[in-house]
Amino acid sequence: MPTLLAAGLCRKAEAGPSLSPVAGADHGLSRLRETPEGRPLPEGLTFTDAEGRVTDFSAFRGKALVVNFWATWCPPCVAEMPALDRLHGMISRDGIEVLALSNDRGGRAQVEPFYQRTGLQRLGIWLDPRGATGRALEVRVLPTTLILDRRGLEVGRLVGEAAWDQPEVVAVIRRLTRTPEPTTRSSIGTDSHA
């Protein structure tokens, strides 16, 4: 029988129904643990893209990252994937990438149909099927999301699901990664009264 955790989390390699609505009233931010000074990642962490090419976090040097560890068999993971897809569309032009690292042992053959079925269009397929990167980063349950700043340091970790596309959550990601809000054309400062 699968082990269920009170926060609606899935233990790695186990499945079960979610026990909580997506994120809750605070959009999941109460579970965010910040490390503003930044925590270095262990050396030698690798994962693969959809084509099976091995890569690592240095391939994203200079970008901030939202790294989500998830699996198709994990109900809370599945529940938050559309919000992560929308988040990627909202922040990628500002140099923040969302990497959804699947722990599915079936790899691309399992993840790609899930993306198609659920209409995920913005997220790339990234795979950690043996869970080695997740273990090295002390990911104990799914979903777990790490926020990495542009230096490649972990500045935040959220265990459990979140409403990633909500303005409050996006603002926290920008603050932790030191990414300013995009500027829009405005009439502020163009007062013609002398």
Side-chain angles (χ1 to χ4, degrees), residues 53-149:
R53 290 182 294 257
V54 176
T55 191
D56 60 24
F57 294 113
S58 70
F60 300 91
R61 191 177 320 273
K63 293 187 176 200
L65 298 176
V66 176
V67 183
N68 178 265
F69 290 88
W70 74 286
T72 60
W73 47 259
C74 171
C77 301
V78 169
E80 73 176 359
M81 288 301 284
L84 283 163
D85 191 56
R86 289 187 296 272
L87 173 67
H88 187 74
M90 296 165 70
I91 63 176
S92 63
R93 67 185 166 274
D94 300 322
I96 306 173
E97 295 289 325
V98 178
L99 301 183
L101 286 180
S102 168
N103 279 236
D104 287 288
R105 292 186 179 152
R108 178 182 179 174
Q110 193 167 357
V111 175
E112 191 169 45
F114 170 82
Y115 272 41
Q116 292 168 351
R117 203 171 45 251
T118 55
L120 301 178
Q121 299 176 351
R122 297 170 193 93
L123 292 173
I125 294 177
W126 300 101
L127 307 166
D128 183 27
R130 291 190 307 259
T133 295
R135 278 191 306 281
L137 291 169
E138 301 173 5
V139 172
R140 305 280 187 250
V141 295
L142 301 176
T144 294
T145 304
L146 279 58
I147 300 172
L148 308 181
D149 68 10

Coordinates of all heavy atoms in Angstrom, one line a residue, residues 53-149:
R53 N 20.3 13.1 -24.3 CA 21.6 13.8 -24.2 C 21.8 14.2 -22.7 O 20.9 14.8 -22.1 CB 21.7 15.0 -25.0 CG 21.7 14.7 -26.5 CD 21.9 16.0 -27.3 NE 20.7 16.8 -27.2 CZ 19.7 16.9 -28.2 NH1 19.8 16.2 -29.3 NH2 18.7 17.7 -28.0
V54 N 22.9 13.8 -22.2 CA 23.3 14.2 -20.8 C 23.6 15.6 -20.7 O 24.3 16.2 -21.5 CB 24.5 13.3 -20.3 CG1 24.9 13.7 -18.9 CG2 24.1 11.8 -20.3
T55 N 23.1 16.3 -19.7 CA 23.4 17.7 -19.4 C 23.5 17.9 -17.9 O 23.3 17.0 -17.2 CB 22.3 18.6 -20.1 OG1 22.8 20.0 -20.1 CG2 21.0 18.5 -19.4
D56 N 23.8 19.2 -17.6 CA 23.9 19.5 -16.2 C 23.5 20.9 -16.0 O 23.1 21.6 -16.9 CB 25.3 19.2 -15.6 CG 26.4 20.1 -16.3 OD1 26.1 21.1 -16.9 OD2 27.5 19.6 -16.2
F57 N 23.5 21.4 -14.7 CA 23.0 22.8 -14.4 C 23.9 23.8 -15.1 O 23.4 24.9 -15.3 CB 22.8 23.0 -12.9 CG 21.7 22.1 -12.4 CD1 22.0 21.1 -11.5 CD2 20.4 22.3 -12.7 CE1 21.0 20.3 -11.0 CE2 19.3 21.6 -12.2 CZ 19.6 20.5 -11.3
S58 N 25.1 23.5 -15.3 CA 26.0 24.5 -15.9 C 25.6 24.9 -17.3 O 25.9 26.0 -17.8 CB 27.5 24.1 -15.9 OG 27.7 23.0 -16.8
A59 N 24.8 24.1 -18.0 CA 24.3 24.4 -19.3 C 23.3 25.6 -19.3 O 23.0 26.2 -20.3 CB 23.6 23.2 -19.9
F60 N 22.9 26.0 -18.1 CA 21.9 27.1 -17.9 C 22.6 28.2 -17.2 O 22.0 29.1 -16.6 CB 20.7 26.6 -17.1 CG 20.0 25.5 -17.8 CD1 20.3 24.2 -17.5 CD2 19.0 25.8 -18.7 CE1 19.6 23.2 -18.2 CE2 18.3 24.8 -19.4 CZ 18.7 23.4 -19.1
R61 N 24.0 28.3 -17.2 CA 24.7 29.3 -16.6 C 24.2 30.7 -16.9 O 23.9 31.0 -18.1 CB 26.2 29.2 -17.0 CG 27.1 30.0 -16.2 CD 28.6 29.8 -16.5 NE 29.0 28.5 -16.8 CZ 29.4 27.5 -15.9 NH1 29.4 27.9 -14.7 NH2 29.7 26.3 -16.3
G62 N 24.1 31.5 -15.9 CA 23.6 32.9 -16.1 C 22.1 33.0 -16.0 O 21.5 34.1 -16.0
K63 N 21.4 31.9 -16.0 CA 19.9 31.9 -15.9 C 19.5 31.5 -14.5 O 20.2 30.7 -13.8 CB 19.3 31.0 -16.9 CG 19.5 31.4 -18.3 CD 18.7 30.6 -19.3 CE 18.8 31.1 -20.7 NZ 17.8 30.7 -21.5
A64 N 18.4 32.0 -14.0 CA 17.8 31.5 -12.8 C 17.0 30.3 -13.2 O 16.5 30.2 -14.3 CB 17.0 32.6 -12.2
L65 N 16.8 29.4 -12.2 CA 16.1 28.1 -12.5 C 15.1 27.8 -11.4 O 15.3 28.0 -10.2 CB 17.1 26.9 -12.6 CG 18.2 27.0 -13.7 CD1 19.1 25.8 -13.5 CD2 17.5 27.0 -15.0
V66 N 14.0 27.3 -11.9 CA 13.0 26.7 -11.0 C 13.0 25.2 -11.4 O 12.6 24.9 -12.4 CB 11.6 27.3 -11.2 CG1 10.5 26.6 -10.4 CG2 11.6 28.8 -11.0
V67 N 13.6 24.4 -10.5 CA 13.8 23.0 -10.8 C 12.8 22.2 -10.0 O 12.9 22.1 -8.8 CB 15.2 22.6 -10.4 CG1 15.5 21.1 -10.8 CG2 16.3 23.5 -11.1
N68 N 11.9 21.6 -10.7 CA 10.8 20.8 -10.1 C 11.0 19.3 -10.3 O 11.1 18.9 -11.4 CB 9.4 21.2 -10.7 CG 8.3 20.5 -10.2 OD1 7.9 19.4 -10.7 ND2 7.7 20.9 -9.1
F69 N 11.1 18.6 -9.2 CA 11.2 17.1 -9.2 C 9.8 16.6 -9.1 O 9.1 16.9 -8.1 CB 12.1 16.6 -8.1 CG 13.6 17.0 -8.3 CD1 14.0 18.2 -7.9 CD2 14.4 16.1 -9.0 CE1 15.4 18.5 -8.1 CE2 15.7 16.5 -9.2 CZ 16.2 17.7 -8.7
W70 N 9.4 15.7 -10.1 CA 8.0 15.3 -10.2 C 8.0 13.9 -10.8 O 9.0 13.4 -11.3 CB 7.2 16.3 -11.0 CG 7.5 16.2 -12.4 CD1 8.6 16.7 -13.1 CD2 6.7 15.6 -13.4 NE1 8.5 16.5 -14.4 CE2 7.3 15.8 -14.7 CE3 5.4 15.0 -13.4 CZ2 6.8 15.3 -15.9 CZ3 4.9 14.5 -14.6 CH2 5.6 14.7 -15.8
A71 N 6.8 13.3 -10.9 CA 6.6 12.1 -11.6 C 5.1 12.0 -12.0 O 4.2 12.6 -11.4 CB 6.9 10.9 -10.8
T72 N 4.8 11.3 -13.1 CA 3.5 11.1 -13.6 C 2.6 10.3 -12.7 O 1.4 10.5 -12.8 CB 3.5 10.5 -15.0 OG1 4.0 9.2 -14.9 CG2 4.2 11.3 -16.0
W73 N 3.1 9.5 -11.8 CA 2.4 8.7 -10.9 C 2.0 9.4 -9.6 O 1.4 8.9 -8.7 CB 3.1 7.4 -10.6 CG 4.6 7.5 -10.3 CD1 5.6 7.3 -11.1 CD2 5.1 8.0 -9.0 NE1 6.8 7.6 -10.4 CE2 6.5 8.0 -9.2 CE3 4.6 8.4 -7.8 CZ2 7.4 8.4 -8.1 CZ3 5.4 8.7 -6.8 CH2 6.8 8.7 -7.0
C74 N 2.5 10.7 -9.4 CA 2.3 11.4 -8.2 C 1.2 12.4 -8.4 O 1.4 13.5 -9.1 CB 3.7 12.1 -7.9 SG 3.6 13.3 -6.6
P75 N 0.0 12.2 -7.8 CA -1.1 13.1 -8.0 C -0.8 14.6 -7.7 O -1.2 15.5 -8.5 CB -2.2 12.6 -7.1 CG -1.9 11.1 -7.0 CD -0.4 11.0 -7.0
P76 N -0.1 15.0 -6.6 CA 0.1 16.4 -6.4 C 1.1 17.0 -7.5 O 0.9 18.2 -7.8 CB 0.7 16.5 -5.0 CG 0.7 15.2 -4.4 CD 0.3 14.2 -5.4
C77 N 2.0 16.1 -8.0 CA 2.9 16.6 -9.0 C 2.0 16.9 -10.3 O 2.2 17.9 -10.9 CB 3.9 15.5 -9.4 SG 5.0 15.0 -8.1
V78 N 1.2 16.0 -10.6 CA 0.3 16.1 -11.8 C -0.5 17.4 -11.7 O -0.7 18.1 -12.6 CB -0.5 14.8 -12.0 CG1 -1.6 15.1 -13.1 CG2 0.4 13.7 -12.4
A79 N -1.1 17.6 -10.5 CA -1.9 18.8 -10.3 C -1.2 20.1 -10.5 O -1.9 21.0 -11.0 CB -2.5 18.7 -8.8
E80 N 0.1 20.2 -10.2 CA 0.7 21.5 -10.3 C 1.4 21.7 -11.7 O 1.9 22.8 -12.0 CB 1.7 21.7 -9.2 CG 3.0 20.9 -9.3 CD 4.0 21.2 -8.2 OE1 3.8 22.1 -7.4 OE2 5.0 20.6 -8.2
M81 N 1.5 20.6 -12.5 CA 2.2 20.8 -13.8 C 1.6 21.8 -14.7 O 2.4 22.6 -15.3 CB 2.2 19.4 -14.5 CG 3.2 18.4 -13.9 SD 4.9 19.0 -13.8 CE 5.4 18.8 -15.5
P82 N 0.3 22.0 -14.9 CA -0.2 23.1 -15.7 C 0.2 24.5 -15.2 O 0.6 25.4 -16.0 CB -1.7 22.9 -15.6 CG -1.9 21.5 -15.4 CD -0.8 21.1 -14.4
A83 N 0.3 24.7 -13.9 CA 0.8 26.0 -13.4 C 2.2 26.2 -13.7 O 2.7 27.3 -14.0 CB 0.5 26.0 -11.9
L84 N 3.0 25.1 -13.6 CA 4.5 25.2 -13.9 C 4.6 25.6 -15.4 O 5.5 26.3 -15.8 CB 5.2 23.9 -13.6 CG 5.5 23.7 -12.1 CD1 5.8 22.3 -11.8 CD2 6.6 24.6 -11.7
D85 N 3.8 25.0 -16.2 CA 3.8 25.3 -17.7 C 3.5 26.7 -17.9 O 4.2 27.4 -18.7 CB 2.8 24.4 -18.4 CG 3.0 24.4 -19.9 OD1 4.1 24.1 -20.4 OD2 2.0 24.7 -20.6
R86 N 2.5 27.2 -17.2 CA 2.1 28.7 -17.4 C 3.2 29.6 -16.8 O 3.6 30.6 -17.4 CB 0.8 29.0 -16.7 CG -0.4 28.4 -17.4 CD -1.7 28.8 -16.9 NE -2.0 28.3 -15.5 CZ -2.5 27.2 -15.2 NH1 -2.9 26.3 -16.1 NH2 -2.7 26.8 -13.9
L87 N 3.8 29.2 -15.7 CA 4.9 29.9 -15.1 C 6.1 30.1 -16.1 O 6.6 31.1 -16.3 CB 5.4 29.2 -13.8 CG 6.7 29.8 -13.2 CD1 6.4 31.2 -12.7 CD2 7.2 28.9 -12.1
H88 N 6.4 29.0 -16.7 CA 7.5 29.0 -17.7 C 7.2 30.1 -18.8 O 8.1 30.8 -19.2 CB 7.8 27.6 -18.3 CG 9.0 27.6 -19.2 ND1 10.2 27.6 -18.7 CD2 9.1 27.6 -20.6 CE1 11.1 27.6 -19.7 NE2 10.4 27.6 -20.8
G89 N 6.0 30.1 -19.3 CA 5.6 31.1 -20.3 C 5.7 32.5 -19.7 O 6.0 33.4 -20.5
M90 N 5.5 32.7 -18.5 CA 5.5 34.0 -17.8 C 6.9 34.5 -17.6 O 7.1 35.8 -17.6 CB 4.7 34.0 -16.5 CG 3.3 33.6 -16.6 SD 2.5 33.2 -15.0 CE 2.5 34.7 -14.2
I91 N 7.9 33.7 -17.3 CA 9.2 34.2 -16.8 C 10.3 33.8 -17.7 O 11.4 34.3 -17.5 CB 9.4 33.7 -15.4 CG1 9.5 32.1 -15.3 CG2 8.4 34.2 -14.4 CD1 9.9 31.6 -14.0
S92 N 10.2 33.0 -18.7 CA 11.3 32.5 -19.5 C 12.0 33.7 -20.2 O 13.2 33.7 -20.4 CB 10.9 31.4 -20.4 OG 10.0 31.8 -21.4
R93 N 11.2 34.6 -20.7 CA 11.7 35.8 -21.4 C 12.6 36.7 -20.5 O 13.3 37.5 -21.0 CB 10.6 36.6 -22.1 CG 9.7 37.3 -21.1 CD 8.5 38.0 -21.8 NE 7.5 38.4 -20.9 CZ 6.5 37.6 -20.5 NH1 6.4 36.4 -20.9 NH2 5.7 38.0 -19.6
D94 N 12.5 36.5 -19.2 CA 13.3 37.2 -18.2 C 14.5 36.5 -17.7 O 15.1 36.9 -16.8 CB 12.4 37.6 -17.0 CG 11.2 38.5 -17.5 OD1 11.3 39.3 -18.4 OD2 10.1 38.2 -16.9
G95 N 14.8 35.4 -18.4 CA 16.0 34.6 -18.0 C 15.8 33.7 -16.9 O 16.8 33.3 -16.2
I96 N 14.6 33.3 -16.6 CA 14.3 32.3 -15.6 C 13.7 31.1 -16.3 O 12.7 31.2 -17.0 CB 13.3 32.8 -14.5 CG1 13.8 34.1 -13.9 CG2 13.1 31.7 -13.5 CD1 12.8 34.8 -13.0
E97 N 14.3 29.9 -16.2 CA 13.9 28.7 -16.8 C 13.2 27.8 -15.8 O 13.7 27.7 -14.7 CB 15.0 28.0 -17.5 CG 15.7 28.7 -18.6 CD 14.8 28.8 -19.9 OE1 14.1 27.8 -20.1 OE2 14.9 29.8 -20.5
V98 N 12.2 27.1 -16.2 CA 11.5 26.1 -15.4 C 12.0 24.7 -15.9 O 11.8 24.4 -17.1 CB 10.0 26.2 -15.4 CG1 9.4 25.1 -14.6 CG2 9.5 27.5 -14.9
L99 N 12.7 24.0 -15.1 CA 13.1 22.6 -15.5 C 12.3 21.6 -14.7 O 12.4 21.5 -13.4 CB 14.6 22.4 -15.2 CG 15.6 23.3 -15.8 CD1 17.0 22.8 -15.5 CD2 15.4 23.2 -17.3
A100 N 11.4 20.9 -15.3 CA 10.6 19.9 -14.7 C 11.3 18.6 -14.9 O 11.3 18.0 -16.0 CB 9.2 19.8 -15.3
L101 N 12.0 18.1 -13.8 CA 12.8 16.9 -13.9 C 12.0 15.7 -13.5 O 11.7 15.5 -12.3 CB 14.1 17.0 -13.0 CG 15.2 17.9 -13.5 CD1 16.3 17.8 -12.5 CD2 15.7 17.4 -14.8
S102 N 11.6 14.9 -14.5 CA 10.8 13.7 -14.2 C 11.6 12.6 -13.6 O 12.7 12.2 -14.1 CB 10.1 13.2 -15.5 OG 9.6 11.9 -15.3
N103 N 11.0 12.0 -12.6 CA 11.6 10.8 -11.9 C 11.0 9.5 -12.5 O 11.3 8.4 -12.0 CB 11.4 10.8 -10.4 CG 12.4 11.7 -9.7 OD1 13.0 11.3 -8.8 ND2 12.5 12.9 -10.1
D104 N 10.2 9.6 -13.5 CA 9.6 8.4 -14.1 C 10.6 7.5 -14.7 O 11.4 7.9 -15.5 CB 8.6 8.8 -15.2 CG 7.3 9.4 -14.6 OD1 6.5 8.7 -14.0 OD2 7.2 10.6 -14.8
R105 N 10.6 6.2 -14.3 CA 11.6 5.2 -14.8 C 11.4 5.0 -16.3 O 12.3 4.6 -17.0 CB 11.5 4.0 -14.0 CG 11.9 4.2 -12.6 CD 12.0 2.9 -11.8 NE 12.5 3.3 -10.4 CZ 12.2 2.6 -9.4 NH1 11.5 1.5 -9.4 NH2 12.7 3.0 -8.2
G106 N 10.2 5.2 -16.8 CA 9.9 5.0 -18.3 C 10.5 6.1 -19.1 O 10.4 6.0 -20.4
G107 N 11.1 7.1 -18.5 CA 11.7 8.2 -19.3 C 10.7 8.9 -20.3 O 9.5 9.1 -20.0
R108 N 11.3 9.3 -21.4 CA 10.5 10.1 -22.4 C 9.2 9.3 -22.8 O 8.2 9.9 -23.0 CB 11.4 10.3 -23.6 CG 10.7 11.1 -24.7 CD 11.5 11.3 -25.9 NE 10.8 12.0 -27.0 CZ 11.4 12.4 -28.1 NH1 12.7 12.2 -28.3 NH2 10.6 13.0 -29.0
A109 N 9.3 8.0 -23.0 CA 8.2 7.2 -23.4 C 7.0 7.3 -22.5 O 5.8 7.2 -22.9 CB 8.6 5.7 -23.6
Q110 N 7.3 7.6 -21.2 CA 6.2 7.8 -20.2 C 5.8 9.3 -20.1 O 4.6 9.6 -19.9 CB 6.7 7.3 -18.9 CG 5.6 7.2 -17.9 CD 6.0 6.3 -16.7 OE1 7.2 5.8 -16.7 NE2 5.2 6.2 -15.7
V111 N 6.8 10.2 -20.2 CA 6.5 11.6 -20.0 C 5.9 12.3 -21.2 O 5.0 13.1 -21.0 CB 7.8 12.3 -19.6 CG1 7.7 13.8 -19.4 CG2 8.4 11.7 -18.2
E112 N 6.4 12.0 -22.4 CA 5.9 12.7 -23.6 C 4.3 12.5 -23.7 O 3.6 13.5 -24.0 CB 6.6 12.3 -24.8 CG 6.3 13.1 -26.0 CD 7.3 12.8 -27.1 OE1 7.6 11.6 -27.4 OE2 7.8 13.8 -27.7
P113 N 3.8 11.3 -23.6 CA 2.3 11.2 -23.7 C 1.6 12.0 -22.6 O 0.5 12.5 -22.9 CB 2.1 9.7 -23.6 CG 3.4 9.0 -24.0 CD 4.5 10.0 -23.5
F114 N 2.2 12.0 -21.4 CA 1.6 12.8 -20.4 C 1.5 14.3 -20.8 O 0.5 14.9 -20.6 CB 2.4 12.6 -19.1 CG 1.9 13.6 -18.0 CD1 0.8 13.3 -17.2 CD2 2.6 14.8 -17.8 CE1 0.4 14.2 -16.2 CE2 2.2 15.7 -16.8 CZ 1.1 15.4 -16.0
Y115 N 2.6 14.8 -21.3 CA 2.6 16.2 -21.8 C 1.5 16.5 -22.8 O 0.8 17.5 -22.8 CB 4.0 16.6 -22.4 CG 5.0 17.1 -21.4 CD1 5.2 16.5 -20.1 CD2 5.9 18.1 -21.7 CE1 6.1 17.0 -19.2 CE2 6.9 18.6 -20.9 CZ 7.0 18.0 -19.6 OH 7.9 18.5 -18.8
Q116 N 1.4 15.5 -23.8 CA 0.4 15.7 -24.8 C -1.0 15.6 -24.3 O -1.8 16.4 -24.6 CB 0.7 14.6 -25.9 CG 1.9 14.8 -26.7 CD 2.3 13.6 -27.5 OE1 1.7 12.5 -27.4 NE2 3.3 13.8 -28.4
R117 N -1.2 14.7 -23.4 CA -2.6 14.5 -22.8 C -3.0 15.6 -22.0 O -4.2 16.0 -22.0 CB -2.5 13.2 -22.0 CG -3.8 12.5 -21.7 CD -3.6 11.1 -21.0 NE -2.7 11.1 -19.9 CZ -1.5 10.5 -19.9 NH1 -1.1 9.9 -21.0 NH2 -0.7 10.5 -18.9
T118 N -2.1 16.3 -21.3 CA -2.4 17.4 -20.4 C -2.2 18.8 -21.1 O -2.5 19.8 -20.4 CB -1.6 17.3 -19.1 OG1 -0.2 17.3 -19.4 CG2 -2.0 16.1 -18.3
G119 N -1.8 18.8 -22.3 CA -1.6 20.1 -23.0 C -0.5 20.9 -22.6 O -0.5 22.1 -22.8
L120 N 0.6 20.3 -22.0 CA 1.7 21.1 -21.6 C 2.5 21.4 -22.9 O 2.9 20.5 -23.6 CB 2.6 20.3 -20.6 CG 1.9 19.8 -19.4 CD1 2.9 19.0 -18.5 CD2 1.4 21.0 -18.6
Q121 N 2.8 22.7 -23.1 CA 3.4 23.2 -24.3 C 4.7 23.9 -24.1 O 5.5 24.1 -25.1 CB 2.4 24.0 -25.1 CG 1.2 23.3 -25.5 CD 0.2 24.2 -26.2 OE1 0.3 25.4 -26.3 NE2 -0.9 23.6 -26.7
R122 N 4.9 24.5 -23.0 CA 6.1 25.4 -22.8 C 7.2 24.7 -22.1 O 8.4 25.0 -22.3 CB 5.6 26.6 -21.9 CG 4.6 27.4 -22.6 CD 4.0 28.5 -21.7 NE 2.8 29.1 -22.2 CZ 1.6 28.7 -22.0 NH1 1.4 27.6 -21.2 NH2 0.6 29.3 -22.5
L123 N 6.9 23.7 -21.3 CA 8.0 23.0 -20.5 C 8.7 22.0 -21.4 O 8.1 21.3 -22.2 CB 7.4 22.2 -19.4 CG 6.8 23.0 -18.2 CD1 6.1 22.0 -17.2 CD2 7.9 23.8 -17.5
G124 N 10.0 22.0 -21.3 CA 10.8 21.0 -22.0 C 10.7 19.7 -21.2 O 10.3 19.6 -20.0
I125 N 11.1 18.6 -21.8 CA 11.1 17.3 -21.1 C 12.6 17.1 -20.6 O 13.5 17.0 -21.4 CB 10.7 16.1 -22.1 CG1 9.2 16.3 -22.5 CG2 11.0 14.8 -21.5 CD1 8.7 15.3 -23.4
W126 N 12.7 17.0 -19.3 CA 13.9 16.7 -18.6 C 13.8 15.5 -17.8 O 12.7 15.3 -17.1 CB 14.3 17.9 -17.8 CG 14.5 19.2 -18.6 CD1 13.6 20.2 -18.8 CD2 15.6 19.5 -19.5 NE1 14.1 21.1 -19.7 CE2 15.3 20.7 -20.1 CE3 16.8 18.9 -19.8 CZ2 16.2 21.3 -21.0 CZ3 17.7 19.5 -20.6 CH2 17.4 20.7 -21.3
L127 N 14.8 14.6 -17.7 CA 14.6 13.3 -17.1 C 15.7 13.0 -16.1 O 16.9 13.3 -16.3 CB 14.6 12.2 -18.2 CG 13.6 12.4 -19.3 CD1 13.9 11.5 -20.5 CD2 12.2 12.3 -18.8
D128 N 15.3 12.5 -15.0 CA 16.2 12.0 -13.9 C 15.6 10.6 -13.5 O 15.2 10.4 -12.3 CB 16.2 13.0 -12.7 CG 17.1 12.6 -11.6 OD1 18.1 11.9 -11.9 OD2 16.9 13.0 -10.4
P129 N 15.5 9.7 -14.4 CA 14.8 8.4 -14.2 C 15.3 7.6 -13.1 O 14.6 6.8 -12.5 CB 14.8 7.7 -15.5 CG 16.0 8.3 -16.2 CD 16.1 9.7 -15.8
R130 N 16.6 7.6 -12.8 CA 17.2 6.8 -11.7 C 17.1 7.6 -10.4 O 17.5 7.1 -9.3 CB 18.6 6.4 -12.0 CG 18.6 5.3 -13.2 CD 19.9 4.7 -13.3 NE 21.0 5.7 -13.5 CZ 21.5 6.0 -14.7 NH1 21.1 5.4 -15.8 NH2 22.5 6.9 -14.7
G131 N 16.8 8.9 -10.5 CA 16.7 9.7 -9.3 C 18.0 10.1 -8.7 O 18.0 10.6 -7.5
A132 N 19.1 10.0 -9.4 CA 20.4 10.3 -8.8 C 20.6 11.8 -8.5 O 21.1 12.1 -7.4 CB 21.5 9.8 -9.8
T133 N 20.1 12.6 -9.4 CA 20.2 14.1 -9.1 C 19.3 14.5 -7.9 O 19.8 15.2 -7.1 CB 19.9 14.9 -10.4 OG1 20.9 14.6 -11.3 CG2 19.9 16.4 -10.1
G134 N 18.1 13.9 -7.9 CA 17.2 14.2 -6.8 C 17.8 13.7 -5.5 O 17.8 14.5 -4.5
R135 N 18.4 12.5 -5.4 CA 19.0 12.0 -4.2 C 20.2 12.9 -3.8 O 20.3 13.3 -2.6 CB 19.5 10.6 -4.4 CG 18.4 9.6 -4.2 CD 18.9 8.2 -4.1 NE 19.8 7.8 -5.2 CZ 19.4 7.4 -6.4 NH1 18.1 7.4 -6.7 NH2 20.2 7.1 -7.4
A136 N 21.0 13.3 -4.7 CA 22.1 14.2 -4.4 C 21.7 15.5 -3.8 O 22.4 16.1 -3.0 CB 23.0 14.4 -5.6
L137 N 20.5 16.0 -4.2 CA 20.0 17.2 -3.7 C 19.0 17.0 -2.6 O 18.3 18.0 -2.2 CB 19.2 18.0 -4.9 CG 20.2 18.5 -6.0 CD1 19.4 18.9 -7.2 CD2 21.0 19.6 -5.4
E138 N 19.0 15.8 -2.0 CA 18.2 15.5 -0.8 C 16.7 15.7 -1.0 O 16.0 16.1 -0.1 CB 18.7 16.3 0.4 CG 20.2 16.1 0.7 CD 20.8 17.0 1.8 OE1 20.0 17.8 2.4 OE2 22.0 16.9 2.0
V139 N 16.3 15.3 -2.2 CA 14.8 15.3 -2.5 C 14.3 14.0 -1.9 O 14.7 13.0 -2.4 CB 14.6 15.5 -4.0 CG1 13.1 15.3 -4.3 CG2 15.1 16.8 -4.5
R140 N 13.4 14.1 -0.9 CA 12.9 13.0 -0.3 C 11.5 12.6 -0.7 O 11.0 11.5 -0.6 CB 12.9 13.2 1.2 CG 14.2 13.5 1.8 CD 15.1 12.3 2.0 NE 16.3 12.6 2.7 CZ 17.5 12.7 2.1 NH1 17.7 12.4 0.8 NH2 18.6 13.0 2.8
V141 N 10.7 13.6 -1.1 CA 9.3 13.4 -1.5 C 9.1 14.3 -2.8 O 9.8 15.2 -3.1 CB 8.3 13.9 -0.4 CG1 8.4 13.0 0.8 CG2 8.5 15.3 -0.1
L142 N 8.1 13.9 -3.5 CA 7.6 14.6 -4.7 C 6.3 15.2 -4.5 O 5.5 14.7 -3.7 CB 7.6 13.7 -5.9 CG 8.9 12.9 -6.3 CD1 8.6 12.0 -7.4 CD2 10.0 13.9 -6.6
P143 N 6.0 16.4 -5.0 CA 7.0 17.2 -5.7 C 7.8 18.0 -4.7 O 7.4 18.3 -3.6 CB 6.1 18.2 -6.5 CG 4.8 18.3 -5.6 CD 4.7 16.9 -5.0
T144 N 9.0 18.3 -5.2 CA 10.0 19.2 -4.5 C 10.5 20.1 -5.6 O 10.9 19.6 -6.6 CB 11.1 18.4 -3.8 OG1 10.5 17.6 -2.7 CG2 12.1 19.4 -3.2
T145 N 10.6 21.4 -5.2 CA 11.0 22.4 -6.2 C 12.2 23.2 -5.6 O 12.0 23.7 -4.5 CB 9.9 23.3 -6.6 OG1 8.8 22.5 -7.2 CG2 10.3 24.3 -7.7
L146 N 13.3 23.3 -6.3 CA 14.4 24.2 -5.9 C 14.4 25.4 -6.8 O 14.1 25.3 -8.0 CB 15.7 23.4 -6.1 CG 16.1 22.4 -5.0 CD1 15.1 21.3 -4.8 CD2 17.5 21.8 -5.4
I147 N 14.7 26.5 -6.2 CA 14.9 27.8 -6.9 C 16.4 28.1 -6.8 O 17.0 28.2 -5.8 CB 14.0 28.9 -6.3 CG1 12.6 28.5 -6.3 CG2 14.3 30.2 -7.0 CD1 11.7 29.4 -5.6
L148 N 17.0 28.2 -8.0 CA 18.4 28.5 -8.1 C 18.6 29.9 -8.7 O 17.9 30.3 -9.7 CB 19.1 27.5 -9.1 CG 18.9 26.0 -8.8 CD1 19.6 25.2 -9.8 CD2 19.3 25.7 -7.4
D149 N 19.5 30.7 -8.1 CA 19.7 32.0 -8.6 C 20.7 32.0 -9.8 O 21.1 30.9 -10.2 CB 20.2 33.0 -7.5 CG 21.6 32.6 -7.0 OD1 22.3 31.8 -7.6 OD2 22.0 33.2 -6.0

